[in-house]
Amino acid sequence: EVQLVESGGGLVQPGGSLRLSCAASGFTFSSSWMSWVRQAPGKGLEWVANIKQDGSEKYYVDSVKGRFTISRDNAKNSLYLEMNSLRAEDTAVYYCARCIFGRSAGYFDYWGQGTLVTVSS
Amino acid sequence: EIVLTQSPGTLSLSPGERATLSCRASQSVSSSYLAWYQQKPGQAPRLLIYGASSRATGIPDRFSGSGSGTDFTLTISRLEPEDFAVYYCQQYVSSAWTFGQGTKVEIK
């Protein structure tokens, strides 16, 4: 059974930093693109970042470029999101998701339950 | 950036009725890169349809997807009580993934 379990969310002040983690199991993590997708309270879904299997390619939504860094540790089956210079508009539930990505596919097939990040003073 | 616009914003229907949800893209999207998700309150999204028309594993055949270019449709042939939820379309192009704003299917 595929499992994605996020952790690391919490309350942080504007300008602060936070590191999210996602522990993966039930599939070959090292063979999968992985993603972070967020959802602000009462709002829709927003893709945040993607990382290739070996970490050699990373993509970000414009609003987080230069502030967030996605990374992975295939030996630990773990995905990370380092978030710096946090703003109130970064407040959201952050989901870890597996991304099926290739020449003829670009979607998220498994999702974690999410971790809430609140940016407030 | 491609913008996905979903309509209607809210669909009020009764169990057993047919639901037709629209997703319109601001530019042409490859059907290979169009997906649909269902999200219930307090839950993570669930993949329903990928490649515009392929059902994900375990998705009932009352869910179907169609469309091409800029216009895509998710159809639920006969609504079951568990189908009342929010539905999102999603696309990929040029190293960016975007979602529509969602359509809420509520019980009439």
Side-chain angles (χ1 to χ4, degrees), chain A residues 39 43-45 47 50 59 95 101-109 111-112, chain B residues 32-33 35 37 39 42-45 47 50 88 90 92 95-97 99:
Chain A
Q39 186 169 37
K43 303 298 184 182
L45 301 169
W47 165 75
N50 263 33
Y59 304 112
Y95 294 103
F101 180 49
R103 286 194 173 192
S104 58
Y107 58 90
F108 311 101
D109 64 343
W111 299 66
Chain B
S32 296
Y33 294 125
Y37 303 83
Q39 188 179 33
Q43 296 185 16
L47 175 68
Y50 63 92
Y88 295 94
Q90 167 256 310
Y92 163 81
S95 306
W97 287 255
F99 291 88

PDB file of all heavy atoms in Angstrom, chain A residues 39 43-45 47 50 59 95 101-109 111-112, chain B residues 32-33 35 37 39 42-45 47 50 88 90 92 95-97 99:
ATOM      1  N   GLN A  39      -2.702  24.013  -0.482  1.00  0.00           N
ATOM      2  CA  GLN A  39      -4.094  24.468  -0.525  1.00  0.00           C
ATOM      3  C   GLN A  39      -4.325  25.436   0.621  1.00  0.00           C
ATOM      4  O   GLN A  39      -4.317  25.042   1.786  1.00  0.00           O
ATOM      5  CB  GLN A  39      -5.042  23.270  -0.422  1.00  0.00           C
ATOM      6  CG  GLN A  39      -6.504  23.622  -0.602  1.00  0.00           C
ATOM      7  CD  GLN A  39      -7.362  22.378  -0.749  1.00  0.00           C
ATOM      8  OE1 GLN A  39      -7.116  21.354  -0.116  1.00  0.00           O
ATOM      9  NE2 GLN A  39      -8.383  22.459  -1.585  1.00  0.00           N
ATOM     10  N   LYS A  43      -9.529  27.441  -0.105  1.00  0.00           N
ATOM     11  CA  LYS A  43      -9.188  27.741  -1.506  1.00  0.00           C
ATOM     12  C   LYS A  43      -8.891  26.475  -2.291  1.00  0.00           C
ATOM     13  O   LYS A  43      -9.018  25.360  -1.776  1.00  0.00           O
ATOM     14  CB  LYS A  43      -7.963  28.671  -1.552  1.00  0.00           C
ATOM     15  CG  LYS A  43      -8.143  29.977  -0.795  1.00  0.00           C
ATOM     16  CD  LYS A  43      -9.258  30.821  -1.372  1.00  0.00           C
ATOM     17  CE  LYS A  43      -9.360  32.166  -0.663  1.00  0.00           C
ATOM     18  NZ  LYS A  43     -10.493  32.987  -1.212  1.00  0.00           N
ATOM     19  N   GLY A  44      -8.491  26.662  -3.542  1.00  0.00           N
ATOM     20  CA  GLY A  44      -8.206  25.540  -4.415  1.00  0.00           C
ATOM     21  C   GLY A  44      -6.772  25.044  -4.289  1.00  0.00           C
ATOM     22  O   GLY A  44      -6.001  25.492  -3.438  1.00  0.00           O
ATOM     23  N   LEU A  45      -6.433  24.124  -5.162  1.00  0.00           N
ATOM     24  CA  LEU A  45      -5.112  23.501  -5.151  1.00  0.00           C
ATOM     25  C   LEU A  45      -4.119  24.325  -5.956  1.00  0.00           C
ATOM     26  O   LEU A  45      -4.455  24.890  -6.996  1.00  0.00           O
ATOM     27  CB  LEU A  45      -5.207  22.094  -5.759  1.00  0.00           C
ATOM     28  CG  LEU A  45      -6.155  21.130  -5.053  1.00  0.00           C
ATOM     29  CD1 LEU A  45      -6.352  19.873  -5.899  1.00  0.00           C
ATOM     30  CD2 LEU A  45      -5.635  20.772  -3.675  1.00  0.00           C
ATOM     31  N   TRP A  47      -0.056  23.850  -7.330  1.00  0.00           N
ATOM     32  CA  TRP A  47       1.197  23.126  -7.420  1.00  0.00           C
ATOM     33  C   TRP A  47       2.334  24.042  -6.950  1.00  0.00           C
ATOM     34  O   TRP A  47       2.356  25.231  -7.289  1.00  0.00           O
ATOM     35  CB  TRP A  47       1.443  22.684  -8.859  1.00  0.00           C
ATOM     36  CG  TRP A  47       2.838  22.257  -9.112  1.00  0.00           C
ATOM     37  CD1 TRP A  47       3.425  21.086  -8.723  1.00  0.00           C
ATOM     38  CD2 TRP A  47       3.852  22.989  -9.807  1.00  0.00           C
ATOM     39  NE1 TRP A  47       4.740  21.055  -9.126  1.00  0.00           N
ATOM     40  CE2 TRP A  47       5.021  22.206  -9.796  1.00  0.00           C
ATOM     41  CE3 TRP A  47       3.885  24.238 -10.432  1.00  0.00           C
ATOM     42  CZ2 TRP A  47       6.207  22.628 -10.392  1.00  0.00           C
ATOM     43  CZ3 TRP A  47       5.052  24.664 -11.030  1.00  0.00           C
ATOM     44  CH2 TRP A  47       6.210  23.867 -11.005  1.00  0.00           C
ATOM     45  N   ASN A  50       8.298  20.409  -8.062  1.00  0.00           N
ATOM     46  CA  ASN A  50       8.516  19.027  -8.504  1.00  0.00           C
ATOM     47  C   ASN A  50      10.000  18.729  -8.506  1.00  0.00           C
ATOM     48  O   ASN A  50      10.819  19.624  -8.748  1.00  0.00           O
ATOM     49  CB  ASN A  50       7.985  18.835  -9.923  1.00  0.00           C
ATOM     50  CG  ASN A  50       6.595  18.246  -9.965  1.00  0.00           C
ATOM     51  OD1 ASN A  50       5.791  18.517  -9.088  1.00  0.00           O
ATOM     52  ND2 ASN A  50       6.330  17.454 -10.988  1.00  0.00           N
ATOM     53  N   TYR A  59      11.492  22.011 -10.449  1.00  0.00           N
ATOM     54  CA  TYR A  59      10.641  23.053 -10.997  1.00  0.00           C
ATOM     55  C   TYR A  59       9.820  23.656  -9.874  1.00  0.00           C
ATOM     56  O   TYR A  59       9.410  22.960  -8.941  1.00  0.00           O
ATOM     57  CB  TYR A  59       9.718  22.492 -12.078  1.00  0.00           C
ATOM     58  CG  TYR A  59      10.458  21.802 -13.203  1.00  0.00           C
ATOM     59  CD1 TYR A  59      10.360  20.431 -13.374  1.00  0.00           C
ATOM     60  CD2 TYR A  59      11.254  22.521 -14.078  1.00  0.00           C
ATOM     61  CE1 TYR A  59      11.034  19.785 -14.405  1.00  0.00           C
ATOM     62  CE2 TYR A  59      11.933  21.891 -15.104  1.00  0.00           C
ATOM     63  CZ  TYR A  59      11.818  20.518 -15.258  1.00  0.00           C
ATOM     64  OH  TYR A  59      12.502  19.903 -16.270  1.00  0.00           O
ATOM     65  N   TYR A  95       0.637  19.330   0.676  1.00  0.00           N
ATOM     66  CA  TYR A  95       0.535  17.909   0.353  1.00  0.00           C
ATOM     67  C   TYR A  95       1.790  17.446  -0.392  1.00  0.00           C
ATOM     68  O   TYR A  95       2.269  18.130  -1.298  1.00  0.00           O
ATOM     69  CB  TYR A  95      -0.665  17.641  -0.553  1.00  0.00           C
ATOM     70  CG  TYR A  95      -2.015  17.890   0.061  1.00  0.00           C
ATOM     71  CD1 TYR A  95      -2.740  19.035  -0.238  1.00  0.00           C
ATOM     72  CD2 TYR A  95      -2.596  16.957   0.920  1.00  0.00           C
ATOM     73  CE1 TYR A  95      -3.998  19.258   0.303  1.00  0.00           C
ATOM     74  CE2 TYR A  95      -3.857  17.172   1.469  1.00  0.00           C
ATOM     75  CZ  TYR A  95      -4.540  18.325   1.159  1.00  0.00           C
ATOM     76  OH  TYR A  95      -5.791  18.538   1.685  1.00  0.00           O
ATOM     77  N   PHE A 101       5.141  11.553 -14.506  1.00  0.00           N
ATOM     78  CA  PHE A 101       5.557  12.597 -15.440  1.00  0.00           C
ATOM     79  C   PHE A 101       6.439  12.004 -16.528  1.00  0.00           C
ATOM     80  O   PHE A 101       7.396  11.302 -16.237  1.00  0.00           O
ATOM     81  CB  PHE A 101       6.295  13.707 -14.694  1.00  0.00           C
ATOM     82  CG  PHE A 101       6.774  14.836 -15.573  1.00  0.00           C
ATOM     83  CD1 PHE A 101       5.912  15.415 -16.478  1.00  0.00           C
ATOM     84  CD2 PHE A 101       8.070  15.309 -15.481  1.00  0.00           C
ATOM     85  CE1 PHE A 101       6.330  16.453 -17.297  1.00  0.00           C
ATOM     86  CE2 PHE A 101       8.501  16.348 -16.292  1.00  0.00           C
ATOM     87  CZ  PHE A 101       7.628  16.919 -17.198  1.00  0.00           C
ATOM     88  N   GLY A 102       6.064  12.314 -17.757  1.00  0.00           N
ATOM     89  CA  GLY A 102       6.852  11.851 -18.875  1.00  0.00           C
ATOM     90  C   GLY A 102       6.341  12.450 -20.166  1.00  0.00           C
ATOM     91  O   GLY A 102       5.631  13.457 -20.147  1.00  0.00           O
ATOM     92  N   ARG A 103       6.681  11.808 -21.276  1.00  0.00           N
ATOM     93  CA  ARG A 103       6.294  12.349 -22.582  1.00  0.00           C
ATOM     94  C   ARG A 103       4.791  12.400 -22.764  1.00  0.00           C
ATOM     95  O   ARG A 103       4.281  13.223 -23.510  1.00  0.00           O
ATOM     96  CB  ARG A 103       6.900  11.489 -23.683  1.00  0.00           C
ATOM     97  CG  ARG A 103       8.379  11.683 -23.870  1.00  0.00           C
ATOM     98  CD  ARG A 103       8.846  11.068 -25.172  1.00  0.00           C
ATOM     99  NE  ARG A 103      10.238  11.396 -25.449  1.00  0.00           N
ATOM    100  CZ  ARG A 103      10.832  11.181 -26.605  1.00  0.00           C
ATOM    101  NH1 ARG A 103      10.139  10.644 -27.593  1.00  0.00           N
ATOM    102  NH2 ARG A 103      12.098  11.484 -26.768  1.00  0.00           N
ATOM    103  N   SER A 104       4.082  11.497 -22.097  1.00  0.00           N
ATOM    104  CA  SER A 104       2.637  11.467 -22.314  1.00  0.00           C
ATOM    105  C   SER A 104       1.864  11.403 -21.005  1.00  0.00           C
ATOM    106  O   SER A 104       0.781  10.836 -20.938  1.00  0.00           O
ATOM    107  CB  SER A 104       2.257  10.290 -23.199  1.00  0.00           C
ATOM    108  OG  SER A 104       2.693   9.088 -22.602  1.00  0.00           O
ATOM    109  N   ALA A 105       2.419  11.990 -19.974  1.00  0.00           N
ATOM    110  CA  ALA A 105       1.706  11.984 -18.699  1.00  0.00           C
ATOM    111  C   ALA A 105       2.232  13.088 -17.799  1.00  0.00           C
ATOM    112  O   ALA A 105       3.439  13.381 -17.804  1.00  0.00           O
ATOM    113  CB  ALA A 105       1.861  10.641 -18.000  1.00  0.00           C
ATOM    114  N   GLY A 106       1.323  13.682 -17.029  1.00  0.00           N
ATOM    115  CA  GLY A 106       1.749  14.710 -16.084  1.00  0.00           C
ATOM    116  C   GLY A 106       0.697  14.919 -15.029  1.00  0.00           C
ATOM    117  O   GLY A 106      -0.018  15.920 -15.057  1.00  0.00           O
ATOM    118  N   TYR A 107       0.593  13.987 -14.098  1.00  0.00           N
ATOM    119  CA  TYR A 107      -0.460  14.056 -13.083  1.00  0.00           C
ATOM    120  C   TYR A 107       0.035  13.481 -11.767  1.00  0.00           C
ATOM    121  O   TYR A 107       1.124  12.919 -11.680  1.00  0.00           O
ATOM    122  CB  TYR A 107      -1.716  13.307 -13.555  1.00  0.00           C
ATOM    123  CG  TYR A 107      -1.488  11.848 -13.886  1.00  0.00           C
ATOM    124  CD1 TYR A 107      -1.618  10.857 -12.911  1.00  0.00           C
ATOM    125  CD2 TYR A 107      -1.148  11.448 -15.179  1.00  0.00           C
ATOM    126  CE1 TYR A 107      -1.397   9.525 -13.219  1.00  0.00           C
ATOM    127  CE2 TYR A 107      -0.928  10.126 -15.490  1.00  0.00           C
ATOM    128  CZ  TYR A 107      -1.057   9.167 -14.505  1.00  0.00           C
ATOM    129  OH  TYR A 107      -0.842   7.847 -14.811  1.00  0.00           O
ATOM    130  N   PHE A 108      -0.781  13.650 -10.711  1.00  0.00           N
ATOM    131  CA  PHE A 108      -0.421  13.249  -9.349  1.00  0.00           C
ATOM    132  C   PHE A 108      -1.300  12.085  -8.925  1.00  0.00           C
ATOM    133  O   PHE A 108      -2.516  12.258  -8.793  1.00  0.00           O
ATOM    134  CB  PHE A 108      -0.604  14.438  -8.399  1.00  0.00           C
ATOM    135  CG  PHE A 108       0.045  15.704  -8.903  1.00  0.00           C
ATOM    136  CD1 PHE A 108      -0.711  16.690  -9.507  1.00  0.00           C
ATOM    137  CD2 PHE A 108       1.410  15.896  -8.784  1.00  0.00           C
ATOM    138  CE1 PHE A 108      -0.117  17.851  -9.997  1.00  0.00           C
ATOM    139  CE2 PHE A 108       2.012  17.050  -9.266  1.00  0.00           C
ATOM    140  CZ  PHE A 108       1.247  18.035  -9.877  1.00  0.00           C
ATOM    141  N   ASP A 109      -0.726  10.903  -8.749  1.00  0.00           N
ATOM    142  CA  ASP A 109      -1.576   9.741  -8.516  1.00  0.00           C
ATOM    143  C   ASP A 109      -1.729   9.346  -7.045  1.00  0.00           C
ATOM    144  O   ASP A 109      -2.716   8.702  -6.699  1.00  0.00           O
ATOM    145  CB  ASP A 109      -1.114   8.546  -9.354  1.00  0.00           C
ATOM    146  CG  ASP A 109       0.268   8.040  -8.990  1.00  0.00           C
ATOM    147  OD1 ASP A 109       1.028   8.779  -8.324  1.00  0.00           O
ATOM    148  OD2 ASP A 109       0.587   6.906  -9.387  1.00  0.00           O
ATOM    149  N   TRP A 111      -1.371  10.868  -2.929  1.00  0.00           N
ATOM    150  CA  TRP A 111      -1.244  12.067  -2.117  1.00  0.00           C
ATOM    151  C   TRP A 111      -1.154  11.690  -0.638  1.00  0.00           C
ATOM    152  O   TRP A 111      -1.769  10.734  -0.188  1.00  0.00           O
ATOM    153  CB  TRP A 111      -2.482  12.948  -2.287  1.00  0.00           C
ATOM    154  CG  TRP A 111      -2.739  13.443  -3.666  1.00  0.00           C
ATOM    155  CD1 TRP A 111      -3.069  12.704  -4.781  1.00  0.00           C
ATOM    156  CD2 TRP A 111      -2.732  14.806  -4.103  1.00  0.00           C
ATOM    157  NE1 TRP A 111      -3.251  13.528  -5.864  1.00  0.00           N
ATOM    158  CE2 TRP A 111      -3.062  14.820  -5.473  1.00  0.00           C
ATOM    159  CE3 TRP A 111      -2.496  16.027  -3.459  1.00  0.00           C
ATOM    160  CZ2 TRP A 111      -3.136  16.004  -6.212  1.00  0.00           C
ATOM    161  CZ3 TRP A 111      -2.577  17.203  -4.184  1.00  0.00           C
ATOM    162  CH2 TRP A 111      -2.894  17.191  -5.553  1.00  0.00           C
ATOM    163  N   GLY A 112      -0.386  12.488   0.118  1.00  0.00           N
ATOM    164  CA  GLY A 112      -0.417  12.355   1.562  1.00  0.00           C
ATOM    165  C   GLY A 112      -1.627  13.079   2.131  1.00  0.00           C
ATOM    166  O   GLY A 112      -2.424  13.656   1.379  1.00  0.00           O
TER     167      GLY A 112
ATOM    168  N   SER B  32      -2.909  14.430 -23.201  1.00  0.00           N
ATOM    169  CA  SER B  32      -2.083  13.561 -22.357  1.00  0.00           C
ATOM    170  C   SER B  32      -1.841  14.176 -20.981  1.00  0.00           C
ATOM    171  O   SER B  32      -1.587  13.468 -20.010  1.00  0.00           O
ATOM    172  CB  SER B  32      -0.738  13.305 -23.019  1.00  0.00           C
ATOM    173  OG  SER B  32      -0.896  12.611 -24.220  1.00  0.00           O
ATOM    174  N   TYR B  33      -1.901  15.492 -20.917  1.00  0.00           N
ATOM    175  CA  TYR B  33      -1.534  16.196 -19.701  1.00  0.00           C
ATOM    176  C   TYR B  33      -2.734  16.820 -18.985  1.00  0.00           C
ATOM    177  O   TYR B  33      -2.566  17.776 -18.226  1.00  0.00           O
ATOM    178  CB  TYR B  33      -0.508  17.283 -20.013  1.00  0.00           C
ATOM    179  CG  TYR B  33       0.826  16.742 -20.477  1.00  0.00           C
ATOM    180  CD1 TYR B  33       1.386  17.148 -21.682  1.00  0.00           C
ATOM    181  CD2 TYR B  33       1.516  15.816 -19.711  1.00  0.00           C
ATOM    182  CE1 TYR B  33       2.618  16.655 -22.097  1.00  0.00           C
ATOM    183  CE2 TYR B  33       2.744  15.322 -20.110  1.00  0.00           C
ATOM    184  CZ  TYR B  33       3.289  15.742 -21.307  1.00  0.00           C
ATOM    185  OH  TYR B  33       4.502  15.250 -21.714  1.00  0.00           O
ATOM    186  N   ALA B  35      -5.835  16.123 -16.308  1.00  0.00           N
ATOM    187  CA  ALA B  35      -6.308  15.190 -15.284  1.00  0.00           C
ATOM    188  C   ALA B  35      -7.436  15.831 -14.467  1.00  0.00           C
ATOM    189  O   ALA B  35      -7.604  17.052 -14.456  1.00  0.00           O
ATOM    190  CB  ALA B  35      -5.155  14.794 -14.358  1.00  0.00           C
ATOM    191  N   TYR B  37      -9.465  15.500 -10.486  1.00  0.00           N
ATOM    192  CA  TYR B  37      -9.366  15.033  -9.110  1.00  0.00           C
ATOM    193  C   TYR B  37     -10.669  15.311  -8.372  1.00  0.00           C
ATOM    194  O   TYR B  37     -11.378  16.267  -8.680  1.00  0.00           O
ATOM    195  CB  TYR B  37      -8.228  15.745  -8.369  1.00  0.00           C
ATOM    196  CG  TYR B  37      -6.881  15.581  -9.028  1.00  0.00           C
ATOM    197  CD1 TYR B  37      -6.516  16.410 -10.083  1.00  0.00           C
ATOM    198  CD2 TYR B  37      -6.004  14.575  -8.627  1.00  0.00           C
ATOM    199  CE1 TYR B  37      -5.289  16.247 -10.717  1.00  0.00           C
ATOM    200  CE2 TYR B  37      -4.776  14.417  -9.260  1.00  0.00           C
ATOM    201  CZ  TYR B  37      -4.435  15.256 -10.299  1.00  0.00           C
ATOM    202  OH  TYR B  37      -3.222  15.098 -10.929  1.00  0.00           O
ATOM    203  N   GLN B  39     -12.081  15.930  -4.382  1.00  0.00           N
ATOM    204  CA  GLN B  39     -11.666  16.206  -3.012  1.00  0.00           C
ATOM    205  C   GLN B  39     -12.884  16.377  -2.121  1.00  0.00           C
ATOM    206  O   GLN B  39     -13.780  17.171  -2.409  1.00  0.00           O
ATOM    207  CB  GLN B  39     -10.792  17.454  -2.929  1.00  0.00           C
ATOM    208  CG  GLN B  39     -10.190  17.654  -1.533  1.00  0.00           C
ATOM    209  CD  GLN B  39      -9.293  18.864  -1.422  1.00  0.00           C
ATOM    210  OE1 GLN B  39      -9.508  19.888  -2.075  1.00  0.00           O
ATOM    211  NE2 GLN B  39      -8.244  18.771  -0.606  1.00  0.00           N
ATOM    212  N   GLY B  42     -11.776  17.873   4.324  1.00  0.00           N
ATOM    213  CA  GLY B  42     -10.821  17.305   5.254  1.00  0.00           C
ATOM    214  C   GLY B  42      -9.979  16.173   4.696  1.00  0.00           C
ATOM    215  O   GLY B  42      -9.216  15.543   5.442  1.00  0.00           O
ATOM    216  N   GLN B  43     -10.105  15.912   3.395  1.00  0.00           N
ATOM    217  CA  GLN B  43      -9.348  14.826   2.777  1.00  0.00           C
ATOM    218  C   GLN B  43      -8.412  15.351   1.697  1.00  0.00           C
ATOM    219  O   GLN B  43      -8.601  16.445   1.166  1.00  0.00           O
ATOM    220  CB  GLN B  43     -10.293  13.795   2.161  1.00  0.00           C
ATOM    221  CG  GLN B  43     -11.169  13.074   3.168  1.00  0.00           C
ATOM    222  CD  GLN B  43     -11.990  11.976   2.512  1.00  0.00           C
ATOM    223  OE1 GLN B  43     -11.714  11.533   1.386  1.00  0.00           O
ATOM    224  NE2 GLN B  43     -13.020  11.505   3.219  1.00  0.00           N
ATOM    225  N   ALA B  44      -7.430  14.530   1.372  1.00  0.00           N
ATOM    226  CA  ALA B  44      -6.549  14.845   0.252  1.00  0.00           C
ATOM    227  C   ALA B  44      -7.287  14.625  -1.066  1.00  0.00           C
ATOM    228  O   ALA B  44      -8.260  13.857  -1.124  1.00  0.00           O
ATOM    229  CB  ALA B  44      -5.309  13.956   0.306  1.00  0.00           C
ATOM    230  N   PRO B  45      -6.843  15.273  -2.117  1.00  0.00           N
ATOM    231  CA  PRO B  45      -7.437  15.002  -3.427  1.00  0.00           C
ATOM    232  C   PRO B  45      -7.204  13.551  -3.845  1.00  0.00           C
ATOM    233  O   PRO B  45      -6.238  12.918  -3.404  1.00  0.00           O
ATOM    234  CB  PRO B  45      -6.682  15.966  -4.355  1.00  0.00           C
ATOM    235  CG  PRO B  45      -6.160  17.036  -3.466  1.00  0.00           C
ATOM    236  CD  PRO B  45      -5.838  16.340  -2.170  1.00  0.00           C
ATOM    237  N   LEU B  47      -7.055  11.139  -7.413  1.00  0.00           N
ATOM    238  CA  LEU B  47      -7.012  11.129  -8.864  1.00  0.00           C
ATOM    239  C   LEU B  47      -8.180  10.328  -9.420  1.00  0.00           C
ATOM    240  O   LEU B  47      -8.422   9.193  -9.025  1.00  0.00           O
ATOM    241  CB  LEU B  47      -5.693  10.514  -9.347  1.00  0.00           C
ATOM    242  CG  LEU B  47      -5.538  10.325 -10.861  1.00  0.00           C
ATOM    243  CD1 LEU B  47      -5.436  11.681 -11.562  1.00  0.00           C
ATOM    244  CD2 LEU B  47      -4.311   9.463 -11.161  1.00  0.00           C
ATOM    245  N   TYR B  50      -6.909  10.604 -15.858  1.00  0.00           N
ATOM    246  CA  TYR B  50      -5.675  11.141 -16.400  1.00  0.00           C
ATOM    247  C   TYR B  50      -5.694  10.974 -17.916  1.00  0.00           C
ATOM    248  O   TYR B  50      -6.507  10.198 -18.451  1.00  0.00           O
ATOM    249  CB  TYR B  50      -4.448  10.449 -15.774  1.00  0.00           C
ATOM    250  CG  TYR B  50      -4.347   8.976 -16.060  1.00  0.00           C
ATOM    251  CD1 TYR B  50      -3.627   8.510 -17.162  1.00  0.00           C
ATOM    252  CD2 TYR B  50      -4.995   8.049 -15.254  1.00  0.00           C
ATOM    253  CE1 TYR B  50      -3.549   7.165 -17.435  1.00  0.00           C
ATOM    254  CE2 TYR B  50      -4.930   6.699 -15.525  1.00  0.00           C
ATOM    255  CZ  TYR B  50      -4.194   6.258 -16.614  1.00  0.00           C
ATOM    256  OH  TYR B  50      -4.121   4.917 -16.885  1.00  0.00           O
ATOM    257  N   TYR B  88     -11.516  19.096  -9.341  1.00  0.00           N
ATOM    258  CA  TYR B  88     -10.522  19.984  -9.945  1.00  0.00           C
ATOM    259  C   TYR B  88      -9.969  19.369 -11.230  1.00  0.00           C
ATOM    260  O   TYR B  88      -9.681  18.177 -11.274  1.00  0.00           O
ATOM    261  CB  TYR B  88      -9.331  20.199  -9.001  1.00  0.00           C
ATOM    262  CG  TYR B  88      -9.653  20.917  -7.714  1.00  0.00           C
ATOM    263  CD1 TYR B  88      -9.960  20.214  -6.558  1.00  0.00           C
ATOM    264  CD2 TYR B  88      -9.630  22.307  -7.652  1.00  0.00           C
ATOM    265  CE1 TYR B  88     -10.238  20.869  -5.361  1.00  0.00           C
ATOM    266  CE2 TYR B  88      -9.911  22.973  -6.464  1.00  0.00           C
ATOM    267  CZ  TYR B  88     -10.210  22.243  -5.328  1.00  0.00           C
ATOM    268  OH  TYR B  88     -10.488  22.899  -4.155  1.00  0.00           O
ATOM    269  N   GLN B  90      -6.646  19.667 -13.929  1.00  0.00           N
ATOM    270  CA  GLN B  90      -5.223  20.017 -13.792  1.00  0.00           C
ATOM    271  C   GLN B  90      -4.531  19.765 -15.124  1.00  0.00           C
ATOM    272  O   GLN B  90      -4.860  18.801 -15.819  1.00  0.00           O
ATOM    273  CB  GLN B  90      -4.587  19.174 -12.686  1.00  0.00           C
ATOM    274  CG  GLN B  90      -3.065  19.192 -12.627  1.00  0.00           C
ATOM    275  CD  GLN B  90      -2.448  17.929 -13.186  1.00  0.00           C
ATOM    276  OE1 GLN B  90      -2.819  16.813 -12.834  1.00  0.00           O
ATOM    277  NE2 GLN B  90      -1.463  18.077 -14.066  1.00  0.00           N
ATOM    278  N   TYR B  92      -0.545  20.138 -17.405  1.00  0.00           N
ATOM    279  CA  TYR B  92       0.889  20.369 -17.375  1.00  0.00           C
ATOM    280  C   TYR B  92       1.341  20.908 -18.734  1.00  0.00           C
ATOM    281  O   TYR B  92       0.939  20.398 -19.773  1.00  0.00           O
ATOM    282  CB  TYR B  92       1.667  19.083 -17.083  1.00  0.00           C
ATOM    283  CG  TYR B  92       3.126  19.223 -17.460  1.00  0.00           C
ATOM    284  CD1 TYR B  92       4.014  19.860 -16.599  1.00  0.00           C
ATOM    285  CD2 TYR B  92       3.594  18.802 -18.709  1.00  0.00           C
ATOM    286  CE1 TYR B  92       5.337  20.045 -16.952  1.00  0.00           C
ATOM    287  CE2 TYR B  92       4.922  18.985 -19.072  1.00  0.00           C
ATOM    288  CZ  TYR B  92       5.783  19.614 -18.186  1.00  0.00           C
ATOM    289  OH  TYR B  92       7.094  19.816 -18.538  1.00  0.00           O
ATOM    290  N   SER B  95       7.015  22.807 -17.945  1.00  0.00           N
ATOM    291  CA  SER B  95       7.587  22.731 -16.596  1.00  0.00           C
ATOM    292  C   SER B  95       6.715  23.385 -15.533  1.00  0.00           C
ATOM    293  O   SER B  95       7.231  23.836 -14.493  1.00  0.00           O
ATOM    294  CB  SER B  95       8.988  23.369 -16.569  1.00  0.00           C
ATOM    295  OG  SER B  95       9.813  22.793 -17.545  1.00  0.00           O
ATOM    296  N   ALA B  96       5.425  23.464 -15.769  1.00  0.00           N
ATOM    297  CA  ALA B  96       4.511  24.027 -14.774  1.00  0.00           C
ATOM    298  C   ALA B  96       3.190  23.261 -14.784  1.00  0.00           C
ATOM    299  O   ALA B  96       2.672  22.929 -15.844  1.00  0.00           O
ATOM    300  CB  ALA B  96       4.262  25.507 -15.046  1.00  0.00           C
ATOM    301  N   TRP B  97       2.712  22.999 -13.606  1.00  0.00           N
ATOM    302  CA  TRP B  97       1.429  22.318 -13.434  1.00  0.00           C
ATOM    303  C   TRP B  97       0.435  23.330 -12.866  1.00  0.00           C
ATOM    304  O   TRP B  97       0.771  24.077 -11.953  1.00  0.00           O
ATOM    305  CB  TRP B  97       1.585  21.158 -12.446  1.00  0.00           C
ATOM    306  CG  TRP B  97       2.328  19.966 -12.959  1.00  0.00           C
ATOM    307  CD1 TRP B  97       1.796  18.776 -13.332  1.00  0.00           C
ATOM    308  CD2 TRP B  97       3.749  19.829 -13.126  1.00  0.00           C
ATOM    309  NE1 TRP B  97       2.791  17.924 -13.731  1.00  0.00           N
ATOM    310  CE2 TRP B  97       3.996  18.526 -13.613  1.00  0.00           C
ATOM    311  CE3 TRP B  97       4.842  20.681 -12.911  1.00  0.00           C
ATOM    312  CZ2 TRP B  97       5.282  18.053 -13.896  1.00  0.00           C
ATOM    313  CZ3 TRP B  97       6.121  20.222 -13.186  1.00  0.00           C
ATOM    314  CH2 TRP B  97       6.332  18.922 -13.678  1.00  0.00           C
ATOM    315  N   PHE B  99      -3.885  24.040 -11.724  1.00  0.00           N
ATOM    316  CA  PHE B  99      -5.205  23.494 -11.422  1.00  0.00           C
ATOM    317  C   PHE B  99      -6.270  24.541 -11.751  1.00  0.00           C
ATOM    318  O   PHE B  99      -6.022  25.752 -11.670  1.00  0.00           O
ATOM    319  CB  PHE B  99      -5.321  23.159  -9.939  1.00  0.00           C
ATOM    320  CG  PHE B  99      -4.482  21.997  -9.485  1.00  0.00           C
ATOM    321  CD1 PHE B  99      -3.173  22.184  -9.081  1.00  0.00           C
ATOM    322  CD2 PHE B  99      -5.004  20.718  -9.448  1.00  0.00           C
ATOM    323  CE1 PHE B  99      -2.387  21.124  -8.651  1.00  0.00           C
ATOM    324  CE2 PHE B  99      -4.246  19.646  -9.029  1.00  0.00           C
ATOM    325  CZ  PHE B  99      -2.932  19.848  -8.625  1.00  0.00           C
TER     326      PHE B  99
END
